[in-house]
Amino acid sequence: MNFTHIIDRMSFGIDYGGLKNPLDNSFELATDRKIFEVLKTLDIIFSCFVLKLEKVPTIFIDENKFFGRKVLLTNQYAVTDHARVIQAANGQAGVPGTISKICFRGCFKCQ
């Protein structure tokens, strides 16, 4: 199984000027040097990607009223990611796939 993936856009609310979301246009390739070394032994391998997102409410004050209002209630997030190779023949255990864990720290109702 190949869990290579692309995230074009990930957002939790209304975008505003200058916002750069950490996962927008991100790419994770499920093949690296470890996988190629394992393939030489014809072992069964899997990849596991874990994304932990922490979402926080954000108040954006638009001085120029570009968005048609001065105060914009939206959300931002931080991300921590981890990737590993699971090699079954060596007794390694794990769940292959792409796993997202989202921690909500309050929320604004976005209109």
Side-chain angles (χ1 to χ4, degrees):
M1 288 188 240
N2 186 335
F3 289 100
T4 296
H5 59 276
I6 298 171
I7 299 174
D8 293 323
R9 183 174 182 278
M10 173 73 81
S11 178
F12 293 98
I14 300 168
D15 289 340
Y16 55 87
L19 175 65
K20 302 219 184 284
N21 291 312
L23 288 176
D24 287 355
N25 301 311
S26 64
F27 175 74
E28 290 284 348
L29 183 62
T31 55
D32 62 11
R33 183 171 292 143
K34 287 183 181 178
I35 292 177
F36 288 121
E37 289 172 8
V38 171
L39 285 175
K40 290 178 188 174
T41 65
L42 299 176
D43 190 7
I44 297 174
I45 55 158
F46 299 103
S47 297
C48 177
F49 298 98
V50 178
L51 300 171
K52 180 182 176 190
L53 290 86
E54 292 193 42
K55 186 192 73 57
V56 293
T58 303
I59 299 173
F60 177 73
I61 299 174
D62 184 9
E63 296 294 333
N64 300 318
K65 293 191 178 182
F66 181 76
F67 296 98
R69 55 186 160 199
K70 188 169 182 168
V71 176
L72 184 66
L73 303 179
T74 188
N75 300 283
Q76 295 183 74
Y77 66 93
V79 65
T80 304
D81 65 336
H82 175 73
R84 73 182 190 114
V85 174
I86 302 166
Q87 190 174 355
N90 286 350
Q92 294 177 343
V95 177
T98 301
I99 302 163
S100 298
K101 299 176 183 180
I102 303 173
C103 179
F104 292 94
R105 303 272 187 225
C107 185
F108 284 127
K109 182 179 178 184
C110 301
Q111 301 172 355

